[in-house]
């Protein structure tokens, strides 16, 4: 926390949530002070308790347009192929809870759920473009079930809708079950006042299909970068059909 406050605290409002149990990692939601004038951020422990997973759900009000959005941040349990419960049960259960919380908060906004702007971001530890089964026990379809649940409720992936990946599918981090790696997500429901302008994997100059290597990382000069490439999505919030504000 001290690191975030030292370098980002002046411009960003920090909301941190540690995982339950003995886990030392967690989630962070950083909200730019000159963009959002009001934020209600809630932290939730997800079932089952044995996974020690958490989620953040926020209602944010945009300073310029006055629009409110619901934003969720989550890190779904890894798709372990060496047990019989994470893939078929725990991971879908976690996503179900996140979607229920997002929908419940969105339903309280003016206009209700059908007119709400909703975004879900995080590490889903799955890739809906993966075609090869991770093992003889589970199919790729089972692994990507949390994403399918979001798609079935009208969410789309900002990265996959904005990018042109002729050179191969995007890979934002390494993993043990996918053939090359998998991708983190910024999911949103299309809305007339929310315009997706651009989305990419940072750095944008590095091909999105680049694989992470344990010895040389992503293969460029930034030695401080982790095995997760940030997913960056730029949106415009529209106050009306005539004027747009980022």
């Amino acid at each position: 926390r001290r690191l975030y406050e030292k370098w980002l605290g002046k411009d960003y409002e920090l909301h941190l949530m540690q995982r339950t149990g003995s886990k030392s990692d967690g989630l962070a939601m950083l909200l730019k002070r000159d963009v959002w004038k009001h934020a209600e951020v809630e932290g939730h422990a997800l079932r089952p308790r044995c996974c020690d997973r958490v989620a953040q759900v926020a209602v944010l009000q945009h300073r310029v347009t006055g629009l409110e959005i619901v934003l969720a941040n989550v890190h779904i349990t890894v798709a372990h192929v060496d047990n019989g419960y994470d893939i078929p049960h725990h991971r879908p259960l976690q996503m179900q809870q996140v979607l229920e919380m997002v929908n419940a908060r969105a339903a309280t906004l003016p206009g209700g759920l059908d007119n709400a702007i909703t975004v879900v971001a995080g590490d889903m530890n799955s890739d809906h473009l993966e075609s090869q089964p991770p093992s003889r026990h589970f199919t790729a379809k089972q692994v990507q079930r949390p994403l399918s649940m979001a798609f079935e409720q009208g969410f789309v992936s900002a990265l996959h809708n904005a990018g042109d990946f002729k050179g191969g599918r995007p890979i934002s981090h390494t993993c043990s079950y996918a053939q090359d790696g998998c991708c983190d997500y910024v999911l949103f429901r299309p809305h007339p006042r929310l315009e997706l302008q651009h989305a990419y994997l940072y750095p944008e100059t590095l091909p999105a299909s680049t694989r992470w290597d344990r010895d040389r990382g992503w293969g460029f000069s930034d030695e401080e970068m982790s095995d997760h490439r940030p997913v960056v999505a730029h949106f415009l919030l529209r106050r009306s059909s005539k004027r747009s504000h980022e």
Side-chain angles (χ1 to χ4, degrees):
R1 184 182 187 95
R2 290 192 297 270
L3 178 66
Y4 283 116
E5 289 176 341
K6 177 180 179 181
W7 295 103
L8 300 171
K10 179 180 178 181
D11 297 320
Y12 290 86
E13 182 178 315
L14 309 180
H15 296 272
L16 309 179
M17 185 176 186
Q18 187 174 333
R19 290 174 62 186
T20 55
S22 59
K23 302 295 184 180
S24 61
D25 60 322
L27 300 174
M29 187 178 291
L30 283 68
L31 307 174
K32 209 162 188 299
R33 298 182 189 277
D34 62 358
V35 173
W36 309 104
K37 70 175 181 180
H38 182 66
E40 296 178 3
V41 183
E42 299 176 347
H44 299 270
L46 299 178
R47 303 187 311 275
R49 293 180 60 184
C50 61
C51 293
D52 293 317
R53 295 292 175 174
V54 295
Q56 293 173 299
V57 180
V59 176
L60 313 176
Q61 186 174 32
H62 191 235
R63 284 189 179 277
V64 175
T65 64
L67 292 173
E68 291 182 302
I69 75 168
V70 178
L71 171 65
N73 182 25
V74 67
H75 186 175
I76 298 292
T77 287
V78 173
H80 296 112
V81 298
D82 56 354
N83 65 52
Y85 41 82
D86 281 342
I87 292 176
H89 180 266
H90 293 357
R91 287 165 43 79
L93 176 61
Q94 290 165 17
M95 180 56 86
Q96 176 186 337
Q97 294 168 80
V98 171
L99 294 173
E100 288 176 351
M101 289 186 288
V102 167
N103 291 340
R105 293 298 282 127
T108 66
L109 300 183
L113 175 59
D114 291 340
N115 293 303
I117 298 174
T118 50
V119 179
V120 176
D123 182 351
M124 309 302 176
N125 276 310
S126 60
D127 189 342
H128 77 277
L129 298 180
E130 184 68 62
S131 59
Q132 299 298 319
S135 74
R136 62 185 178 87
H137 301 291
F138 301 102
T139 65
K141 183 177 181 179
Q142 288 175 296
V143 172
Q144 61 101 351
R145 180 57 190 155
L147 282 170
S148 296
M149 295 168 67
F151 297 151
E152 289 165 5
Q153 293 199 22
F155 286 90
V156 298
S157 166
L159 180 65
H160 294 85
N161 275 263
D164 181 8
F165 307 114
K166 295 179 179 179
R169 63 189 182 87
I171 300 170
S172 69
H173 69 94
T174 182
C175 69
S176 60
Y177 60 84
Q179 58 195 20
D180 302 315
C182 56
C183 200
D184 298 321
Y185 285 84
V186 176
L187 304 168
F188 70 101
R189 286 190 177 109
H191 190 282
R193 293 190 174 184
L194 182 71
E195 178 186 335
L196 174 64
Q197 286 198 306
H198 189 38
Y200 59 92
L201 294 178
Y202 177 86
E204 196 170 8
T205 55
L206 190 69
S209 58
T210 302
R211 303 182 189 182
W212 183 82
D213 182 87
R214 185 175 298 275
D215 295 323
R216 57 185 186 85
W218 294 105
F220 69 103
S221 59
D222 191 348
E223 297 179 357
E224 301 300 321
M225 192 166 167
S226 75
D227 63 343
H228 281 251
R229 290 179 66 182
V231 179
V232 182
H234 292 277
F235 292 94
L236 287 178
L237 280 175
R238 295 184 179 278
R239 179 161 49 192
S240 69
S241 59
K242 296 182 179 180
R243 294 185 64 187
S244 298
H245 300 275
E246 187 169 3

